[in-house]
Amino acid sequence: MADGKTDLVVIGGGIMGLWTALYAARAGLEVLLVERTTIGAGASGGLLGALMPHMPDRWNDKKQFQLDALVSLEHEIRAMEAQTGLSAGYRRTGRLIPLAKPHLRAIALRQVGDADINWQSGSGGFPWRVLDAAPDGLFSPDAVAEGAVFDGLAARVSPRGLLRLLTATLATMRGVTIREQCAVRGIDPQRGQVVLSDGSVVHAGHIVLAAGVDSFPMIDGLPKVVGGAPRPASGTGVKGQAARLAVDLDPGLPILYSDGVYVIAHDAGGVAIGSTSEVEYADPLATDQRLDGLLAKAETLVPALAGAPILERWAGLRPRAVGRDPMAGVHPDHPRLHLMTGGFKISFGIAHRLARAVVEGLGGRPTDPEGAMTLPASFRCENHLGAPSRA
Ligand SMILES: Cc1cc2nc3c(=O)[nH]c(=O)nc-3n(C[C@H](O)[C@H](O)[C@H](O)COP(=O)(O)OP(=O)(O)OC[C@H]3O[C@@H](n4cnc5c(N)ncnc54)[C@H](O)[C@@H]3O)c2cc1C
């Protein structure tokens, strides 16, 4: 393949890369998105798609950022669905959280006041209701001994459906090229060069690294700035396993969530069960007895799942940045390199807002009449990697 030139190379065809390409194209940039294998081959191509808000108490700028992102995502998705005729399987179903113990009910009741303030629950915002009893027959009686919380902000989306929708939307936009089966072999952020697996070189005004967990070795392998401070290892992968079961649950049902177990009925059929969280693993993409354990836990919580045939077992690696929050924006040493990773467990709800901020950082101007997108300070790369070096 011949060498080329473009405004922006986006590395990675997951949720982070696709939203970045979309915002860049909207800003009028010429974009090349390169994906090592196929769109959604990484963590984004999973089964769950929970869009879960943080708890309404102990409010901070991160929670506000996520709330604004969750609210704006629906509009983004509906606009693309109207344009393409595709469905992302999005629905604001809300979430039911069973309360098994009196102290959990006491906490949930305290959070009613927090939700009133931070979610505007009492004045047209999103409900946070403490129910005396959960809807009949959903949960095992022990799980709901003290009732349940209904949160009306949570939503869900089909991860693969959203990736298809973004890809189809990008296909209608000027200046966007997507190359699958095209790995990046190296980057030279000083010169704005990206070396592809076929040996060709793309010269780019900017590079956005959105390669999920593979972003981290690429960041750690960047040339050090002369006289620059040593940087910490940028992040790691946390394995997750999930499954999809053939069981007849109403897709309008809220997400059922308890103690790390999600039960999510999807529009296209099937119920997703997630997820394990593993910092130690032998094979990052294999499913094993930990998934069996999770399924047993889910059956105990929701008896209707018992004995349901398993349609798919799936595992992936969540990118967790060193600072634990998402890592987005310009690299402290390399003004032409922008990072877009570390979304860990919440990428699907916030990737569009991160993308907007990153793209605004390329051009130095807002992409929206409502003004520039500000990221919480802890998301910025220097808060993960350290301050810019003074070379
Ligand atoms: C079991 C499980 C359940 C989850 N549930 C949820 C959930 O309910 N809600 C939620 O918001 N999040 C969830 N997550 C987390 C979410 O899936 C991830 O945070 C998100 O998908 C990360 O997206 P990404 O674009 O950063 O990375 P990825 O989706 O991994 O994309 C990175 C892409 O880069 C490509 N790539 C890598 N190296 C190169 C290279 N050298 N050249 C070119 N391309 C390259 C890869 O092939 C890959 O396609 C879950 C994760 C797991 C594992």
Side-chain angles (χ1 to χ4, degrees):
M1 205 175 287
D3 290 0
K5 194 168 181 296
T6 185
D7 294 328
L8 174 66
V9 172
V10 177
I11 304 170
I15 193 71
M16 296 288 211
L18 291 171
W19 275 116
T20 306
L22 188 83
Y23 268 89
R26 282 184 190 161
L29 298 178
E30 194 181 333
V31 189
L32 170 64
L33 183 148
V34 285
E35 162 53 48
R36 182 173 57 193
T37 49
T38 51
I39 298 297
S44 302
L47 306 173
L48 232 56
L51 303 169
M52 304 270 278
H54 293 299
M55 291 291 138
D57 55 353
R58 290 178 290 148
W59 204 245
N60 59 31
D61 60 342
K62 283 191 282 185
K63 292 190 174 191
Q64 187 64 48
F65 179 85
Q66 195 214 23
L67 184 141
D68 293 339
L70 290 173
V71 172
S72 62
L73 182 61
E74 178 164 12
H75 170 74
E76 292 266 15
I77 287 177
R78 296 299 179 219
M80 290 190 288
E81 287 179 334
Q83 189 194 340
T84 61
L86 298 176
S87 166
Y90 174 94
R91 206 186 285 207
R92 192 179 299 285
T93 53
R95 160 178 60 165
L96 277 169
I97 309 168
L99 299 170
K101 301 263 161 52
H103 76 278
L104 296 175
R105 185 175 175 86
I107 294 170
L109 285 168
R110 279 204 298 279
Q111 288 166 331
V112 170
D114 298 309
D116 260 350
I117 298 167
N118 299 317
W119 294 11
Q120 276 87 51
S121 296
S123 47
F126 300 97
W128 175 272
R129 276 187 224 115
V130 180
L131 312 174
D132 291 335
D136 270 354
L138 269 182
F139 296 105
S140 63
D142 288 356
V144 286
E146 295 291 325
V149 171
F150 175 71
D151 132 30
L153 174 54
R156 55 94 172 126
V157 69
S158 154
R160 294 169 191 172
L162 181 54
L163 298 181
R164 276 194 295 274
L165 181 64
L166 283 162
T167 308
T169 305
L170 284 166
T172 67
M173 299 181 84
R174 284 165 71 100
V176 180
T177 306
I178 295 181
R179 274 196 212 152
E180 294 178 282
Q181 308 296 343
C182 179
V184 166
R185 221 166 59 188
I187 53 178
D188 180 342
Q190 301 290 359
R191 293 190 186 149
Q193 290 181 354
V194 178
V195 183
L196 303 179
S197 45
D198 62 4
S200 62
V201 178
V202 182
H203 303 264
H206 294 274
I207 302 164
V208 171
L209 184 51
V213 75
D214 294 297
S215 307
F216 301 131
M218 291 169 88
I219 296 166
D220 299 342
L222 286 169
K224 301 290 171 239
V225 170
V226 180
R231 304 248 174 244
S234 55
T236 183
V238 176
K239 180 173 172 177
Q241 302 186 46
R244 197 159 62 87
L245 306 185
V247 54
D248 194 18
L249 286 187
D250 176 1
L253 202 66
I255 294 172
L256 311 179
Y257 174 76
S258 177
D259 191 21
V261 178
Y262 297 79
V263 176
I264 307 179
H266 278 282
D267 285 351
V271 174
I273 313 293
S275 303
T276 67
S277 197
E278 305 164 43
V279 287
E280 282 174 18
Y281 41 84
D283 180 344
L285 301 181
T287 60
D288 56 27
Q289 75 289 349
R290 292 191 187 191
L291 180 54
D292 301 330
L294 177 84
L295 290 173
K297 207 171 154 189
E299 282 182 17
T300 306
L301 181 71
V302 180
L305 303 175
I310 298 177
L311 298 171
E312 184 175 352
R313 295 163 68 95
W314 182 87
L317 280 184
R318 309 173 179 96
R320 188 179 71 188
V322 56
R324 293 182 171 246
D325 284 339
M327 179 157 62
V330 67
H331 186 285
D333 289 336
H334 302 289
R336 296 166 87 163
L337 177 65
H338 307 260
L339 308 181
M340 185 60 187
T341 186
F344 195 32
K345 295 185 174 176
I346 60 167
S347 298
F348 274 82
I350 61 168
H352 61 301
R353 287 282 170 126
L354 299 180
R356 188 175 136 194
V358 165
V359 168
E360 288 176 354
L362 310 178
R365 62 191 140 80
T367 57
D368 192 290
E370 78 185 41
M373 175 60 39
T374 308
L375 295 181
S378 59
F379 290 14
R380 290 206 295 266
C381 298
E382 59 269 29
N383 284 312
H384 292 272
L385 302 176
S389 302
R390 272 178 264 139

